[in-house]
Amino acid sequence: MSKIPVIEIFGPTIQGEGAVIGVKTMFVRTYGCDYRCGWCDSSFTWDGSAKDKVQMMEPEEILNELERLAGNNFDCVTISGGNPALIGEAMGTFIQGLHERGIQAAIETQGSRWQDWFCDVDVLTISPKPPSSGMNTDFEMLDSIMDKLQQGGRSAHSLKVVVFDEADFAYAKSVHKRYPAVPLFLQPGNENVTEEGDISARLLGRLEWLFGLAIADPEMNRARVLPQLHALIWHNKRGK
Ligand code: SF4
């Protein structure tokens, strides 16, 4: 049985982003990312600084650890990274294990790789990275992922774009135009992921700025603008 590189398991907490915002969830964070976003708020998943925390775990071991931490006090598990889409069959087995226990799987990935288990994910968020990240979107790959999801999946999928500036907003618009049938979530970026203390006023200011852009733009009539809810409450604390 192949294993999954896990760097964090925590919860229950409240999902602060995207389509399952507000839902009580456990988090499983996988190690490794094929991107290097300039503003990454989880660079410890790929920059080597927390490599000693990585555990290679079998799907069953992760399920046991979730149960040990939270008993039956959850029925959603969010799998995040890094990029969980770097993991093949073992992730499919893990998702199957969640379903056997009546637990839904929510996953976020940037849309740089396809995995067959995408079609089994209950809530799949594809979050392509805008220009401010310094990364280039492979739109051929993204097109193929969105096509496969449209054709085959039982997965409820949506797009999420984090917006730091007007160029990012223009990118989000182009993504929305390319996949008009897929729900689009916009989220203001957190410009200082190491700031200590209460950052809610700063984040709310950025949310108001993004509201303004969306309100003024007829091409964004169907986009949904959301805060990073958990960051308003728990700020930059990790494991929340
Ligand atoms: Fe960080 Fe996500 Fe970008 Fe990877 S894709 S570098 S985890 S923000």
Side-chain angles (χ1 to χ4, degrees):
M1 168 68 68
S2 52
K3 297 187 178 187
I4 298 174
V6 175
I7 191 159
E8 275 186 330
I9 301 178
F10 62 91
T13 185
I14 298 293
Q15 170 59 261
E17 299 179 7
V20 273
I21 191 166
V23 171
K24 180 161 66 175
T25 185
M26 299 296 286
F27 269 84
V28 174
R29 197 183 284 284
T30 61
Y31 190 77
C33 191
D34 47 332
Y35 273 22
R36 298 288 180 266
C37 300
W39 37 250
C40 180
D41 61 0
S42 35
S43 54
F44 61 95
T45 63
W46 50 262
D47 67 5
S49 61
K51 215 170 176 185
D52 54 330
K53 305 268 183 330
V54 180
Q55 292 185 68
M56 296 303 296
M57 297 175 80
E58 290 192 2
E60 190 70 27
E61 290 179 284
I62 306 175
L63 292 163
N64 291 342
E65 179 61 7
L66 289 164
E67 216 168 276
R68 188 190 71 76
L69 284 172
N72 66 354
N73 190 22
F74 68 100
D75 71 358
C76 176
V77 172
T78 301
I79 301 153
S80 180
N83 184 7
L86 298 182
I87 298 149
E89 198 190 332
M91 187 61 81
T93 307
F94 177 58
I95 292 164
Q96 201 182 323
L98 290 173
H99 289 162
E100 280 161 11
R101 289 162 177 78
I103 299 166
Q104 68 169 348
I107 292 199
E108 178 171 325
T109 176
Q110 65 265 43
S112 58
R113 307 265 176 116
W114 168 260
Q115 292 288 350
D116 287 341
W117 50 254
F118 279 9
C119 293
D120 299 324
V121 175
D122 301 280
V123 183
L124 180 66
T125 303
I126 305 287
S127 182
K129 303 305 174 196
S132 64
S133 68
M135 298 292 109
N136 288 319
T137 304
D138 176 351
F139 275 105
E140 214 173 297
M141 171 58 71
L142 197 55
D143 285 351
S144 120
I145 290 174
M146 300 314 280
D147 278 356
K148 284 180 188 164
L149 287 172
Q150 290 292 95
Q151 285 159 20
R154 58 185 272 276
S155 165
H157 58 281
S158 57
L159 287 154
K160 186 183 83 181
V161 178
V162 178
V163 178
F164 283 80
D165 55 28
E166 299 209 357
D168 288 356
F169 188 74
Y171 171 91
K173 269 168 57 168
S174 70
V175 167
H176 195 29
K177 213 168 172 176
R178 199 171 182 110
Y179 313 110
V182 182
L184 172 72
F185 295 91
L186 301 176
Q187 177 185 302
N190 177 357
E191 286 159 316
N192 186 349
V193 293
T194 57
E195 183 181 350
E196 292 186 1
D198 188 343
I199 61 170
S200 54
R202 174 168 64 74
L203 296 183
L204 287 171
R206 295 307 289 166
L207 184 63
E208 189 177 11
W209 165 79
L210 189 51
F211 275 0
L213 292 185
I215 287 167
D217 198 321
E219 286 180 45
M220 285 301 204
N221 289 351
R222 293 196 172 182
R224 301 173 208 180
V225 188
L226 292 180
Q228 270 188 311
L229 190 58
H230 59 291
L232 291 177
I233 307 293
W234 292 306
H235 316 294
N236 279 331
K237 278 184 206 136
R238 223 173 102 182
K240 284 291 189 181

